[in-house]
């Protein structure tokens, strides 16, 4: 029986010719496994099928040679491709799941010198200018979609998803932004819409009536000269007539200057846009973007914004998301925190995806946890991400684990991070570990600082004692106006109105974010209204693309804040795909970012620096907050070694420089797989 409070989410969906187990779609993600041994992709999807998700969609596969995202990218253009995918579909079906393949034509959004588009207009975020397709080539590209769908059917897929959002070729045809044609494929909206409609019609003709066609539609382009609301509604109705089975939501082109999935985006921030489409069609419509927990998903369905929920990253974080919901074990869900650190940042860095909170994601065949034949008594000192991760996996493998922390709660630095506006999701990771450590019988010994003496009765010891913040050797560093970031974020010491932050890494940026919000009632990351206002999103969609035209200015920050660093590069926080969001948000709030500076010293009047032009400046500030990195806390290492016990050191205690939670959790899990 479905858990009553998530009844709508878990309700089967009858599509006429087939029935989906529930209303949950695992959305498309390019994980990097697409170009590897198909057995790895098969294991990835089979694991999620075991978790009971209703319908899964693969990462994008190109429909022609010109459609690729980059020259070596996966494609579905031949019988040989179809045969290779059999491994994936067989594994999914054997696990009781259903899977559709996403068909993608990147158009001008590609790293491909041979790229094509509706018109020869370059994307602002890609290096090459596309060639405009001729009318004859347009016909060939449409046929490419249809034959790719035919190969998908041959491969055993249950359906296809046509990628019609995020600014790819179909959007380029649909909008004045990408389409300046004056022939039968451009000009009026009716002509601009011909390309996607023909794609769907020819796919339907090719695959017959009993095959799922999902169309991922851009509900909101979030770029100038994007689609108008009226055009979006017309397109939705026409897509239904053309033979689409399910409409899925896409929000924002890749070139949009508004965050759409990062953790700063409130949960369910865009379901109002999906609702407008649902109201004009009779086929099921799926909402997406920053939905990561069952209560929110159920609310979206109950309030009528959508018929289904599409989530992608939450299935990297937890393949059993649906199963746990069904079995009323929501507290056991390992929640996607929207950080992008191991998924999108990896993809854009040319690396295989994984997940910060679940290092097994996309490594199902490589990081395997087996029951131990020899149960050991293991002491873990430090219940930060590294210690929690190790303890949980070691206990799941059958070891007797005791986890110590000086603090009265588990979480380590996550307890500091969770207070930063935009990082509220860190609460979920702590909740997950609390639930699971208890469930797996890990003995928690909190609120006591441990010395080697406390570790005598254990077979092995793991030090996960984290870090100690650096204090730079700066003249005047002991001046009363100098504080550490822990004084601000952990100990709540009062901070003046004029602040200089020494260090522009992740913690410097977070400290500035905290100080710009401090005292305000709500953070934009928890209020959809505030978020839309801050980023200039026009919920009435009066303007094309749904952007308000002029970016709405937030209330000026009450503090004057300057972040400084010595390196000449831009201050942006660490994330490859999120740095620009931090920079834009801080600049909008008047935070000054200064790179390439030299620190001369702290004095009564403030912080004296030298800028790259050699000039000396006094920043007249009330406080100087030091966020200058960390070094390992190894205070117990020597005494534990002296006891002659096997000792392992992980997380910040092992290496503090460049250590983040992704690496800490990964190290914990990998060590636990081997002890
Ligand atoms: P810690 O989290 O430091 O945990 C160590 C634990 O050991 C502590 O709880 C401490 O009390 C305990 N301990 C130490 N000595 C003893 C002892 N003798 N006895 C008992 N207990 C002891 N990382 C990211 O990847 N993404 C982010 O967005 C991010 N944001 C951050 C924001 C802020 C404001 C901060 C401060 C950090 C952020 N980090 C982020 C960094 C991340 O939190 C750390 O990399 C991670 O916590 C390191 O994990 P750890 O387990 O090694 O150590
Ligand atoms: P960090 O990213 O290494 O940044 C340290 C900053 O301090 C740098 O800007 C550095 O710049 C400066 N610095 C270093 N030594 C200094 C010195 N002697 N004097 C003055 N300045 C000095 O470390 P962090 O900000 O403390 O973050 C710790 C870890 O947590 C990092 O791995 C980070 O990725 C992670 N984290 C991630 C996020 C996220 O959102 N993903 C958020 C917070 C933290 P210069 O040397 O150029 O001056
Ligand atoms: Fe979610 Fe972060 Fe994992 Fe990506 S890396 S799936 S954003 S928790």
């Amino acid at each position: 029986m479905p858990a009553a409070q998530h009844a709508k989410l878990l309700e089967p969906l009858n599509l006429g010719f087939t029935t989906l187990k529930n209303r949950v779609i695992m959305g498309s993600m390019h994980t990097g496994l697409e170009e590897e041994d198909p057995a790895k992709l098969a294991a990835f999807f089979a694991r999620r099928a075991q978790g009971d998700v209703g319908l899964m969609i693969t990462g994008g596969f190109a429909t022609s040679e010109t459609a690729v995202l980059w020259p070596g990218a996966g494609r579905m253009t031949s019988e040989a491709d179809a045969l290779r995918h059999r491994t994936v579909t067989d594994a999914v079906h054997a696990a009781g799941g259903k899977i559709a393949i996403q068909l993608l034509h990147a158009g001008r959004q590609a790293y491909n010198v041979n790229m094509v588009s509706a018109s020869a207009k370059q994307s602002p975020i890609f290096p090459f200018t596309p060639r405009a397709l001729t009318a004859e080539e347009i016909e060939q590209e449409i046929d490419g979609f249809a034959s790719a769908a035919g190969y998908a059917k041959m491969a055993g897929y249950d359906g296809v998803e046509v990628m019609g959002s995020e600014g790819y070729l179909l959007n380029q045809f649909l909008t004045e932004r990408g389409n300046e044609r004056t022939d039968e494929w451009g000009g009026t909206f009716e002509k601009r819409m011909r390309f996607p409609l023909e794609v769907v019609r020819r796919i339907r003709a090719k695959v017959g009536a009993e095959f799922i066609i999902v169309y991922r539609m851009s509900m909101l382009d979030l770029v100038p000269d994007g689609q108008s609301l009226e055009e979006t509604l017309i397109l939705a109705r026409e897509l239904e007539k053309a033979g689409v089975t399910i409409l899925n939501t896409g929000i924002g082109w890749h070139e949009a200057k508004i965050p759409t999935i990062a953790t700063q985006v409130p949960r369910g921030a865009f379901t109002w846009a999906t609702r407008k489409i649902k109201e004009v069609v009779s086929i099921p419509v799926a909402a997406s973007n920053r939905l990561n927990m069952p209560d929110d998903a159920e609310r979206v369905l109950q309030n009528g914004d959508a018929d289904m929920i599409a989530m992608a990253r939450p299935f990297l974080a937890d393949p059993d998301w649906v199963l746990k919901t069904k079995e009323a074990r929501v507290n056991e869900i390992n929640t996607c925190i929207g950080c992008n650190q191991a998924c999108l940042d990896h993809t854009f860095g040319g690396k295989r995806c994984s997940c910060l909170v679940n290092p097994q994601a996309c490594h199902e065949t490589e990081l395997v946890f087996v029951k131990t034949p020899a149960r050991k008594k293991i002491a873990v000192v430090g219940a930060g991400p590294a210690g929690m991760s190790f303890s949980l996996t070691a206990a799941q493998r059958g070891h007797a684990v005791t986890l110590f922390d000086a603090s009265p709660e588990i979480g380590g630095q996550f307890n500091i991070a969770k207070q930063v506006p935009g990082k509220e999701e860190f609460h979920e990771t702590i909740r997950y570990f609390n639930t699971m450590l208890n469930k797996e019988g890990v003995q928690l010994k909190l609120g006591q600082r441990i010395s080697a003496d406390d570790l005598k009765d254990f077979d092995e010891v793991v030090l996960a004692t984290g870090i100690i913040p650096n204090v730079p050797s700066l003249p005047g560093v002991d001046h009363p106006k100098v504080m550490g970031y822990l004084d601000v974020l952990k100990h709540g010491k009062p901070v003046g109105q004029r602040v200089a932050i020494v260090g522009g890494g992740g913690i410097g940026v977070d400290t500035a974010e905290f100080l710009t919000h401090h005292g305000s009632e709500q953070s934009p990351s928890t209020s959809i209204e505030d978020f839309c206002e801050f980023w200039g999103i026009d919920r009435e969609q009066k303007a094309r693309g749904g952007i308000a035209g002029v970016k709405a200015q937030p209330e000026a920050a009450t503090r004057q804040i300057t972040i400084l660093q010595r390196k000449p590069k831009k201050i942006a926080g660490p994330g490859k795909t999120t740095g620009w969001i931090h920079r834009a948000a801080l600049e909008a709030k008047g935070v000054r970012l200064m790179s390439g500076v030299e620190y001369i010293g702290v004095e009564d009047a403030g912080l004296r620096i030298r800028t790259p032009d050699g000039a000396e400046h006094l920043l007249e500030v009330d406080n100087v907050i030091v966020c200058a990195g960390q070094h390992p806390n190894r205070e117990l290492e020597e005494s534990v070694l002296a006891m002659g016990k096997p000792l392992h050191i992980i997380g910040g205690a092992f290496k503090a420089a460049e250590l983040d939670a992704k690496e800490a959790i990964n190290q914990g899990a990998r060590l636990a797989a081997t002890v």
Side-chain angles (χ1 to χ4, degrees):
M1 283 292 287
Q5 69 269 37
H6 305 116
K8 191 90 192 143
L9 191 64
L10 297 169
E11 192 180 290
L13 179 65
N14 185 350
L15 298 172
F17 55 93
T18 189
T19 298
L20 304 182
K21 284 180 186 172
N22 50 58
R23 306 297 177 111
V24 185
I25 295 177
M26 174 174 143
S28 173
M29 287 175 282
H30 191 95
T31 59
L33 291 173
E34 293 78 4
E35 289 79 33
E36 293 199 35
D37 175 0
K40 291 184 185 172
L41 198 58
F44 171 77
F45 283 116
R47 180 65 191 87
R48 271 99 199 136
Q50 284 160 12
D52 245 5
V53 55
L55 175 67
M56 296 184 289
I57 299 172
T58 68
F61 284 86
T63 53
S64 70
E65 287 307 306
T66 50
V68 293
L69 276 166
W70 73 92
R75 56 201 83 193
M76 182 52 85
T77 53
S78 68
E79 228 174 291
D81 290 335
L83 281 179
R84 226 181 357 264
H85 280 250
R86 265 280 166 200
T87 322
V88 174
T89 56
D90 285 348
V92 168
H93 293 148
K98 283 194 167 36
I99 185 164
I101 184 172
Q102 187 184 76
L103 303 182
L104 167 73
H105 196 310
R108 71 183 196 177
Q109 287 195 159
Y111 298 97
N112 173 11
V113 280
N114 299 318
M115 53 162 61
V116 293
S117 183
S119 298
K121 290 186 78 181
Q122 187 179 352
S123 159
I125 57 167
F126 284 86
F128 309 114
T129 304
R131 185 172 59 72
L133 287 161
T134 64
E136 194 184 334
E137 287 169 332
I138 288 177
E139 293 291 344
Q140 288 164 6
E141 295 291 1
I142 297 171
D143 285 342
F145 272 94
S147 37
Y151 290 129
K153 196 172 178 187
M154 186 189 289
Y157 282 104
D158 301 283
V160 293
E161 177 176 83
V162 177
M163 182 36 145
S165 68
E166 323 304 295
Y168 290 116
L169 184 69
L170 272 54
N171 299 117
Q172 294 155 31
F173 266 92
L174 278 164
T175 55
E176 289 167 3
R177 184 174 179 81
N179 187 343
E180 292 176 342
R181 302 180 76 96
T182 52
D183 60 3
E184 63 274 30
W185 300 100
T188 62
F189 184 63
E190 208 184 341
K191 289 180 178 174
R192 279 186 270 125
M193 155 175 90
R194 262 188 79 194
F195 186 85
L197 292 181
E198 270 307 301
V199 164
V200 173
R201 285 187 198 118
R202 284 190 216 174
I203 290 178
R204 183 53 82 203
K206 182 84 181 177
V207 297
E210 305 207 335
F211 195 69
I212 299 169
I213 302 180
V214 182
Y215 187 97
R216 175 115 178 255
M217 185 175 147
S218 186
M219 307 283 176
L220 198 61
D221 289 338
L222 298 179
V223 287
D225 296 328
Q227 273 179 250
S228 67
L229 173 61
E230 195 195 350
E231 289 170 353
T232 310
L233 299 177
I234 294 171
L235 177 66
R237 286 194 209 99
E238 293 301 319
L239 286 168
E240 179 173 11
K241 283 191 225 157
V244 164
T245 322
I246 295 168
L247 277 175
N248 192 5
T249 291
I251 301 287
W253 290 28
H254 287 322
E255 57 201 54
K257 292 183 178 152
I258 294 173
T260 55
I261 60 166
T263 191
Q264 296 89 339
V265 179
R267 290 183 181 181
F270 298 103
T271 62
W272 50 268
T274 304
R275 184 189 187 102
K276 294 180 192 174
I277 300 300
K278 178 175 149 48
E279 283 168 354
V280 300
V281 295
S282 55
I283 49 177
V285 180
S288 75
N289 286 58
R290 284 288 285 121
L291 287 161
N292 60 352
M293 286 300 278
D295 288 0
D296 302 294
E298 179 71 15
R299 204 172 307 120
V300 169
L301 299 185
Q302 292 287 356
N303 74 16
D305 283 359
D307 307 289
M308 304 181 77
I309 299 295
M311 297 177 296
R313 297 171 299 168
F315 287 101
L316 291 178
D318 196 332
D320 291 327
W321 194 100
V322 175
L323 199 61
K324 289 177 179 175
T325 305
K326 212 165 131 183
E327 295 172 354
R329 293 190 286 131
V330 168
N331 258 353
E332 293 182 20
I333 290 178
N334 195 2
T335 306
C336 164
I337 59 173
C339 65
N340 288 351
Q341 284 177 241
C343 51
L344 274 189
D345 284 358
H346 279 209
T347 304
F348 283 88
K351 289 191 341 205
R352 194 200 298 174
C353 249
S354 188
C355 173
L356 181 141
V357 298
N358 174 22
Q360 269 188 315
C362 305
H363 295 75
E364 287 73 16
T365 56
E366 293 140 310
L367 182 56
V368 181
F369 305 135
V370 287
K371 283 277 177 205
T372 176
R375 182 177 164 91
K376 295 177 192 164
K377 274 182 80 180
I378 304 176
V380 183
V381 188
M388 295 189 296
S389 165
F390 173 86
S391 300
L392 177 56
T393 303
Q396 283 169 332
R397 289 193 53 227
H399 291 297
V401 181
T402 304
L403 175 58
F404 298 94
D405 204 292
S407 161
E409 53 189 349
I410 65 163
Q413 291 177 61
F414 268 26
N415 288 308
I416 304 168
K418 73 186 183 190
Q419 304 173 71
V420 175
K423 292 206 157 163
E424 292 80 5
E425 296 287 2
F426 281 56
H427 284 277
E428 297 285 7
T429 309
I430 297 170
R431 180 265 308 147
Y432 164 76
F433 277 112
N434 252 323
T435 310
M436 295 308 293
L437 291 169
N438 277 315
K439 180 174 174 170
E440 297 297 337
V442 173
Q443 291 265 327
L444 284 179
K445 298 262 172 85
L446 302 177
Q448 41 184 309
R449 194 149 203 98
I450 295 305
S451 64
D453 263 5
D454 303 306
L455 307 171
K456 285 197 297 265
D457 297 336
F458 293 90
D459 301 322
E460 296 195 18
V461 174
V462 176
L463 288 188
T465 43
I467 52 81
I468 298 167
N470 289 338
V471 179
S473 54
L474 175 69
V477 77
D478 49 1
H479 192 283
K481 63 171 60 191
V482 177
M483 310 167 93
Y485 65 85
L486 292 180
D487 292 326
V488 180
L489 298 175
K490 187 172 176 184
H491 307 304
K493 289 201 181 158
V495 178
Q497 290 300 103
R498 301 166 309 161
V499 174
I501 295 179
V502 170
I507 291 180
V509 166
D510 276 353
T511 304
E513 192 67 48
F514 177 83
L515 288 172
T516 57
H517 284 84
H518 202 44
S520 65
E521 301 255 304
Q522 200 152 29
S523 124
S525 53
T526 53
S527 152
I528 294 174
E529 266 177 27
D530 291 356
F531 169 79
C532 289
E533 191 190 335
F534 185 90
W535 290 99
I537 299 167
D538 170 19
R539 291 171 73 180
E540 290 177 32
Q541 290 174 267
K542 287 193 191 126
R544 283 191 170 275
I547 46 175
V550 181
K551 189 172 162 187
Q553 285 306 307
E555 274 178 39
T558 48
R559 282 199 173 88
Q560 289 169 27
I561 301 174
T562 306
I563 310 181
L564 306 114
Q565 77 178 12
R566 296 167 304 177
K567 285 185 284 294
K569 68 172 202 171
K570 271 187 197 165
I571 292 173
K576 208 171 177 64
T577 59
T578 49
W580 68 273
I581 304 172
H582 288 296
R583 201 167 48 244
L586 289 175
E587 281 176 352
K589 284 179 279 194
V591 173
R592 195 151 57 128
L593 307 176
M594 295 182 79
S595 303
V597 303
E598 182 192 333
Y599 303 113
I600 297 172
V602 181
E603 50 196 75
D604 288 344
L607 175 65
R608 192 168 290 279
I609 59 166
R610 187 169 291 112
T611 45
D613 59 5
E616 223 178 272
H617 304 267
L618 175 70
L619 303 180
E620 292 183 13
V621 294
D622 306 310
N623 288 110
V624 175
I625 302 173
V626 175
C627 306
Q630 297 107 7
H631 57 277
N633 174 9
R634 295 231 186 134
E635 60 189 22
L636 293 179
E637 184 182 7
E638 250 179 62
S639 46
V640 176
L641 275 176
M643 291 161 72
K645 287 188 192 295
L647 170 68
H648 312 274
I649 305 181
I650 54 174
F654 175 69
K655 183 179 180 233
E658 291 165 28
L659 187 281
D660 59 8
K662 177 182 76 172
E663 187 50 26
I665 290 177
N666 189 28
Q667 280 181 17
R670 282 176 191 274
L671 175 64
T674 61
V675 286

